[in-house]
């Protein structure tokens, strides 16, 4: 992976980072790297996520999914990190990513429509919940199970469960003798894409899980004490420095349709890990070149509170544009769709730079399993680095846990601090 921070330097951008400031920040990066390295060595909670390329056993996953390896479709039942990583991987690597659908919301119309469109007898179920009590996941799983029963399909022969050592989902898996996989110890869900949590659908779809982990491992091996030698740390350090200078929004804009879900995954990683103590960049999701015709106007001419992260593979498929046969379109003659998309990418970075708006470029040699592993791992390492520099608790999510307790209490009819807060929430209705 290649990181180009030229369009984020203070000489061209406002907010921007002067090279002297980067040199000073590099000393803090070295100290943060030592903390990260020590945490990895001790397999401490959170830091253990950065050991996943070595700890995840792809054969264990392939063995567990073997009973459903003939499935034409996969439905993942999970939420947040239990679903986004898996979908990011299949969306980027599968020849037909629509074969993998995700139920990560309890919108009843969406759930009904999704299940109605699936040939359940050809569809594997991957259900993921650490506690086995996550309300959204368990409710959706019960609905999925009922749909299989209603159509006369044995759901127990189609299901793989990834869960903790105890809890209702574990008990159900044991009762029904379902294939199960453990969750990695000490790894928050949003950091678990490169584990059993994220790799089950990829294994069912026979994607190159081994290369994905190998690519991530290459980045892990190259983590070092200087941002100048470590692309992942360069990205994290610049994002941190830009936030310190007023860039409170990080707009992530992949120039590859197959990376659209990557922006979704990044948004959870960045927001849930770093949004604490009154700080943290708000991740915005865009898609190049589509959003050049919508959001770019704001990024170039709106408030100076944003950095833009653009992402692209350097190699693309060749799809030539036919001769337009019209003088006004002669500039397209001999062009290729990939060349056009790259021109749009270059124009976006240049447009932002010309307006003095910071941008950081992330480039992959190509988009395959190994480079996707590099990208996912690098962003996780960058996120952990930002947490160290900002002195926040990167691996916790107290606001999320509060919401979970409130939802469970409301469903159960309990009288708790959370349910009372919900009942007393402010209201000013205009009809």
């Amino acid at each position: 992976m290649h990181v180009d921070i030229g369009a984020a330097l203070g000489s061209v951008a406002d907010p921007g980072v002067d090279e002297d400031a980067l040199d000073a920040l590099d000393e803090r990066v070295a100290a943060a790297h030592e903390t990260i390295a020590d945490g990895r060595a001790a397999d401490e909670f959170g830091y253990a996520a950065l050991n996943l390329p070595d700890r995840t056993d792809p054969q264990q996953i392939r063995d567990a999914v073997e009973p459903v390896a003939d499935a034409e479709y996969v439905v993942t039942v999970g939420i947040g990190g239990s679903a986004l990583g898996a979908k990011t991987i299949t969306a980027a690597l599968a020849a037909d990513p629509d074969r993998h659908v995700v139920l990560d919301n309890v919108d009843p119309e969406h759930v009904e429509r999704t299940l109605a469109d699936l040939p359940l007898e050809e569809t594997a179920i991957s259900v993921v919940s650490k506690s086995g009590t996550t309300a959204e996941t368990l409710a959706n799983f019960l609905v999925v199970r009922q749909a299989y029963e209603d159509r006369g399909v044995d759901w127990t022969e189609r299901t793989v469960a990834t869960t903790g050592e105890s809890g209702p989902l574990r008990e159900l898996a044991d009762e029904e003798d379902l294939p199960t996989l453990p969750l990695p110890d000490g790894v928050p869900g949003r950091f678990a894409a490169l584990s059993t949590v994220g790799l089950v659908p990829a294994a069912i779809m026979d994607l190159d899980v081994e290369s994905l982990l190998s690519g991530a491992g290459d980045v892990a091996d190259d983590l070092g004490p200087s941002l100048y030698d470590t692309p992942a740390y360069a990205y994290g350090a610049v994002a941190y420095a830009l936030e310190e200078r007023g860039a409170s929004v990080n707009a992530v804009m992949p120039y590859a349709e197959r990376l659209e879900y990557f922006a979704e995954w990044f948004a959870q990683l960045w927001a849930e890990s770093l949004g604490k103590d009154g700080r943290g960049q708000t991740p915005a999701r865009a898609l190049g070149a589509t959003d050049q015709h919508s959001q770019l106007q704001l990024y170039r001419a709106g408030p100076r509170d944003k950095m833009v992260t653009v992402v692209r593979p350097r190699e693309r498929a060749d799809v030539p544009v036919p001769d337009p046969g019209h003088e006004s379109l002669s500039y397209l003659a001999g062009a290729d769709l990939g060349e056009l998309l790259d021109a749009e990418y270059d124009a976006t970075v240049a447009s932002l730079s010309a307006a003095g708006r910071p941008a950081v470029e992330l480039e992959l040699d190509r988009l395959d399993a190994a480079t996707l592993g590099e990208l996912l791992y690098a962003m996780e390492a960058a996120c952990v680095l930002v947490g160290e520099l900002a002195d926040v608790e990167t691996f916790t999510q107290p606001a999320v846990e509060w919401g979970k307790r409130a939802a469970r209490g409301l469903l159960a009819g309990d009288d708790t601090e959370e349910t009372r807060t919900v009942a007393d929430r402010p209201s000013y209705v205009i009809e």
Side-chain angles (χ1 to χ4, degrees):
M1 189 182 79
H2 314 272
V3 177
D4 189 336
I5 63 173
L9 296 177
S11 57
V12 296
D14 178 20
V17 188
D18 293 332
E19 293 184 62
D20 288 345
L22 276 180
D23 291 341
L25 184 58
D26 199 39
E27 297 180 11
R28 296 179 59 195
V29 169
H33 171 69
E34 185 174 350
T35 300
I36 293 168
D38 289 345
R40 290 181 64 195
D43 227 21
E44 291 180 18
F45 178 77
Y47 300 103
L50 298 181
N51 293 330
L52 285 175
D54 289 332
R55 303 287 172 84
T56 301
D57 180 358
Q59 191 58 51
Q60 178 192 35
I61 299 171
R62 293 197 184 280
D63 289 345
V65 306
E66 197 278 331
V68 295
D70 63 338
E72 290 295 319
Y73 297 86
V74 184
V75 57
T76 290
V77 185
I79 195 166
S82 295
L84 276 174
K87 185 59 180 176
T88 297
I89 292 166
T90 59
L93 300 180
D96 183 2
D98 291 339
R99 288 177 51 208
H100 179 208
V101 299
V102 173
L103 292 180
D104 60 350
N105 203 340
V106 287
D107 182 325
E109 294 180 358
H110 171 69
V111 173
E112 278 198 336
R113 186 170 61 248
T114 298
L115 293 174
D117 290 342
L118 284 173
L120 299 186
E121 67 281 358
E122 300 176 15
T123 302
I125 304 167
S126 171
V127 57
V128 186
S129 174
K130 181 177 183 179
S131 65
T133 62
T134 306
E136 300 91 341
T137 299
L138 269 293
N140 273 340
F141 180 60
L142 292 173
V143 171
V144 170
R145 188 175 72 175
Q146 187 64 52
Y148 274 68
E149 291 177 352
D150 289 346
R151 291 198 219 169
V153 181
D154 188 347
W155 62 271
T156 66
E157 295 184 355
R158 301 272 82 191
T159 302
V160 178
T162 305
T163 190
E165 295 181 358
S166 61
L169 184 55
R170 167 59 65 176
E171 293 170 7
L172 176 65
D174 290 343
E175 289 171 8
E176 301 292 348
D177 197 26
L178 303 178
T180 59
L181 284 161
L183 287 99
D185 291 334
V187 177
R190 60 191 176 275
F191 285 90
L194 297 168
S195 75
T196 53
V197 173
L199 297 179
V200 167
I204 295 173
M205 300 172 76
D206 198 27
L207 302 180
D208 192 350
V209 173
E210 290 79 4
S211 290
L212 186 79
L213 293 169
S214 176
D218 289 343
V219 180
D221 292 342
D222 288 342
L223 292 181
S226 173
L227 69 88
Y228 296 112
D229 299 324
T230 311
Y233 286 168
Y235 179 78
V238 169
Y240 165 78
L242 289 174
E243 183 195 348
E244 289 287 285
R245 290 155 176 77
S248 59
V249 175
N250 188 343
V252 178
M253 196 170 185
Y255 277 73
E257 290 272 350
R258 290 194 287 154
L259 288 175
E260 187 171 13
Y261 259 96
F262 162 75
E264 299 274 349
W265 172 85
F266 178 92
Q268 183 197 6
L269 178 74
W270 219 246
E272 197 169 359
S273 300
L274 304 175
K276 292 151 191 167
D277 303 332
R279 63 173 304 140
Q281 288 180 319
T282 299
R285 289 158 282 185
L287 179 66
T290 301
D291 287 314
Q292 285 177 234
H293 298 270
S294 57
Q295 299 178 36
L296 184 60
Q297 175 64 41
L298 174 67
Y299 303 156
R300 191 179 193 274
R304 291 184 178 273
D305 60 352
K306 302 170 189 66
M307 66 173 284
V308 179
T309 300
V310 288
V311 189
R312 72 169 168 185
R314 289 179 170 178
E315 293 182 14
R316 300 188 186 274
D318 294 325
V319 180
V321 177
D323 188 340
H326 198 286
E327 183 63 29
S328 65
L329 299 176
S330 60
Y331 66 94
L332 292 174
D336 179 275
L337 287 184
E339 293 175 355
L340 178 57
L341 190 56
D342 282 338
E344 300 276 13
Y345 171 100
D346 293 336
T348 292
V349 177
S351 172
L352 291 165
S353 184
R357 308 303 173 106
V360 177
E361 301 178 62
L362 305 181
E363 292 187 285
L364 309 174
D365 289 334
R366 66 197 63 82
L367 183 48
D368 59 17
T371 58
L372 181 66
E374 292 177 16
L375 179 63
L376 295 178
Y377 188 95
M379 292 302 98
E380 290 180 358
C383 182
V384 175
L385 176 73
V386 174
E388 297 296 332
L389 296 175
D391 194 26
V392 299
E393 295 289 339
T394 308
F395 306 115
T396 62
Q397 53 281 334
V400 175
E401 298 304 326
W402 192 99
K404 289 181 179 179
R405 293 194 300 271
R408 283 196 296 267
L410 290 169
L411 288 171
D414 294 339
D415 180 22
T416 66
E417 176 185 348
E418 290 84 7
T419 59
R420 289 191 295 273
T421 301
V422 173
D424 295 338
R425 70 188 187 278
S427 178
Y428 188 154
V429 178
I430 299 172
E431 297 180 344

